[in-house]
């Protein structure tokens, strides 16, 4: 998505770089000094990707559609949803589907830590085979005002939360995308606060709508859509739907998400869809359907208010719709 700040190379850093990016850059320079760049766990020798957990999960799909979650809208064509993407790790434009094929997704270790009974690391394949998979058709609304309707396969995030056994002090779940310096050219754009981070409250994470998607259109999730597992929160703007997750951290502190860190005036923590609250630079009243470019009215909570509006009762002082 577009951000108001100029690019890092266009203006003196001290004038325009948010603190987080400064910080990141300092860490980056420190990393060079310490010789640590290039020696991270994500740059293991080629071939080790097959050492463990290399099995495909293709046999799991298709899964049964849950008829409770269907929408009246026409489904977006698969070819559109799989080639018009946001995934800044692979570039700040929509045509990243080819570049994303470089991402290594086996083995894929998921860390569950923070305020939990017992922090664990689990292989993705082992995790997904423990979870109750189903298909749901959801609307999807990007903050940039394009929209799609897709059949996700995956499991309710509540199943993952139950599996994690959070302690009573846990108030939020922070999620983190993989950082593969060698496969993700976007990570060289050091002014972004990598890794991509997102967060939900426990009430949001355990809401019945919230899914961890592992598939789409009856198949394993393609890399460009966030393989092997990504978040789906259909009542929130698309940027909350973090891709290619490697870590779930239960915490008592509200996470600062990637886009909030870049520009908190335009992209907040809550990011609930609302046609009446414009983005500072454009209206949110309508959305453009990926299928045919048709413009249709946006609905509050993207049409999912019956499921989620209660979460936000008594929180009117928060910026719920940015
Ligand atoms: N790690 C990561 N997750 C991300 C993004 C990203 O750049 N990096 N973009 C977000 C945005 S802005 C949108 S609209 C959706 C797009 O998902 P899709 O490409 O599957 O349609 O992914 C979200 N998740
Ligand atoms: Mo987005």
């Amino acid at each position: 998505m577009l951000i108001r700040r100029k690019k890092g190379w266009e203006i003196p850093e001290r004038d325009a770089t948010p603190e987080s990016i400064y910080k990141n850059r300092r860490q980056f320079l420190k990393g060079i000094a310490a010789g640590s760049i290039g020696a991270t766990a994500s740059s293991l020798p080629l071939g080790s990707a097959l050492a463990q957990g290399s099995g495909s999960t293709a046999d799991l799909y298709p899964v049964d559609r849950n008829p409770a979650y269907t929408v009246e809208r026409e489904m977006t064509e698969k070819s559109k949803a799989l080639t018009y993407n946001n995934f800044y790790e692979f570039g700040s434009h929509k045509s990243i589907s080819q570049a994303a094929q470089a991402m290594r997704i086996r083995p894929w270790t998921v860390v569950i830590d923070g305020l939990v009974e017992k922090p664990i690391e689990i292989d993705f394949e082992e995790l997904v085979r423990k979870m109750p998979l189903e298909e749901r058709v959801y609307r999807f609304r990007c903050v940039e005002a394009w929209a799609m309707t897709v059949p996700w396969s995956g499991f309710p995030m509540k199943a993952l939360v139950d599996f994690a056994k959070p302690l009573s002090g846990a108030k939020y779940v922070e999620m983190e995308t993989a950082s593969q310096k060698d496969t993700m050219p976007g990570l060289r754009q050091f002014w972004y606060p990598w890794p991509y981070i997102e967060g939900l409250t426990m009430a949001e994470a355990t809401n019945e709508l919230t899914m961890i998607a592992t598939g789409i259109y009856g198949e394993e999730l393609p890399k460009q859509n966030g393989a092997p597992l990504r978040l789906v929160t259909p009542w929130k703007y698309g940027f909350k739907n973090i891709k290619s997750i490697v870590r779930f951290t239960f915490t008592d502190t509200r996470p600062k998400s990637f886009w909030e860190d870049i520009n908190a005036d335009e992209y907040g923590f809550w990011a609930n869809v609302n046609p009446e609250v414009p983005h500072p630079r454009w209206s949110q009243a309508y959305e453009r359907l990926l299928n045919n470019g048709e413009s249709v009215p946006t609905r509050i909570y993207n049409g999912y208010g019956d499921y989620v509006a209660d979460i936000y009762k008594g929180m009117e002082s928060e910026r719920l719709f940015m």
Side-chain angles (χ1 to χ4, degrees):
M1 72 195 74
L2 295 167
I3 52 175
R4 187 189 283 131
R5 277 188 313 100
K6 291 190 182 170
K7 294 281 191 280
W9 63 79
E10 291 174 324
I11 32 179
E13 192 172 42
R14 65 181 178 280
D15 292 339
T17 310
E19 193 202 2
S20 62
I21 293 172
Y22 245 122
K23 240 175 21 203
N24 227 37
R25 183 155 182 279
R26 280 205 308 273
Q27 279 164 5
F28 177 78
L29 294 172
K30 247 194 293 178
I32 289 176
S36 68
I37 301 290
T40 58
S42 60
S43 57
L44 292 167
L46 282 175
S48 63
L50 296 175
Q52 51 162 292
S54 62
S56 162
T57 54
D59 61 294
L60 292 173
Y61 308 96
V63 292
D64 288 340
R65 182 172 297 178
N66 184 334
Y69 307 97
T70 48
V71 303
E72 71 292 350
R73 278 186 186 173
E74 201 180 310
M75 200 89 82
T76 300
E77 276 167 45
K78 177 179 169 183
S79 63
K80 297 241 159 93
L82 270 50
T83 56
Y84 186 91
N85 303 100
N86 269 331
F87 203 161
Y88 270 58
E89 284 82 346
F90 296 99
S92 49
H93 52 84
K94 301 290 178 275
S95 307
I96 54 76
S97 58
Q98 286 302 320
Q101 302 315 309
M103 181 166 56
R104 276 173 274 106
I105 59 167
R106 294 292 187 279
W108 190 274
T109 305
V110 176
V111 176
I112 299 175
D113 66 1
L115 299 174
V116 291
E117 273 182 23
K118 187 169 168 281
I120 61 157
E121 287 188 9
I122 183 168
D123 182 72
F124 167 72
E125 194 186 341
E126 190 187 340
L127 177 69
V128 69
R129 289 184 190 281
K130 287 183 200 298
M131 292 290 136
L133 297 181
E134 60 182 55
E135 181 178 78
R136 298 183 184 186
V137 180
Y138 278 164
R139 283 184 293 274
F140 182 98
R141 171 61 156 81
C142 173
V143 73
E144 299 162 323
W146 55 269
M148 59 182 186
T149 304
V150 296
W152 300 107
S153 309
F155 52 88
M157 186 166 175
K158 177 155 193 316
L160 182 107
V161 172
D162 290 346
F163 175 74
K165 299 197 179 72
L167 302 175
S168 59
K171 296 198 176 91
Y172 302 90
V173 191
E174 178 175 311
M175 287 154 273
E176 181 182 320
T177 296
S179 306
Q180 293 181 4
K181 288 204 174 73
D182 55 338
T183 70
M184 297 175 163
L187 269 51
R188 294 198 288 259
Q189 301 185 311
F190 56 79
W191 53 91
Y192 286 120
W194 307 111
Y196 200 100
I197 296 281
E198 261 305 339
L200 295 174
T201 63
M202 292 298 286
E204 292 173 330
T206 57
N207 183 273
E208 67 168 280
L209 287 183
T210 307
M211 266 182 103
I212 299 296
T214 57
I216 191 170
Y217 294 98
E219 294 167 8
E220 288 179 295
L221 204 57
K223 293 179 179 180
Q224 64 270 27
N225 294 92
L229 73 166
R230 61 94 58 87
L231 180 66
V232 176
T233 49
W235 73 99
K236 290 179 178 286
Y237 289 119
F239 67 86
K240 294 295 294 185
N241 295 233
I242 180 173
K243 294 177 168 180
S244 305
I245 300 168
V246 292
R247 183 184 294 270
F248 296 87
T249 302
F250 291 79
T251 164
D252 58 4
T253 312
R254 190 165 104 177
K256 177 164 278 178
S257 52
F258 180 81
W259 283 106
E260 188 183 9
D261 201 350
I262 291 168
N263 192 336
D265 293 333
E266 301 197 349
Y267 310 105
F269 174 78
W270 299 105
N272 297 311
V273 175
N274 187 341
E276 288 174 10
V277 180
H279 184 276
R281 289 179 287 129
W282 59 83
S283 165
Q284 295 291 24
Y286 288 86
E287 59 205 54
R288 181 176 55 82
L289 300 181
L290 274 197
N291 249 359
N292 51 14
E294 193 190 335
S295 179
V296 298
T298 289
R299 294 164 65 186
I300 186 153
Y301 295 114
N302 204 21
Y304 294 101
D306 288 350
Y307 296 91
V308 297
D310 278 356
I311 299 176
Y312 307 104
K313 284 232 172 82
M315 294 177 59
E316 288 73 18
S317 62
E318 297 275 337
R319 291 168 68 218
L320 293 173
F321 303 106
M322 287 234 146

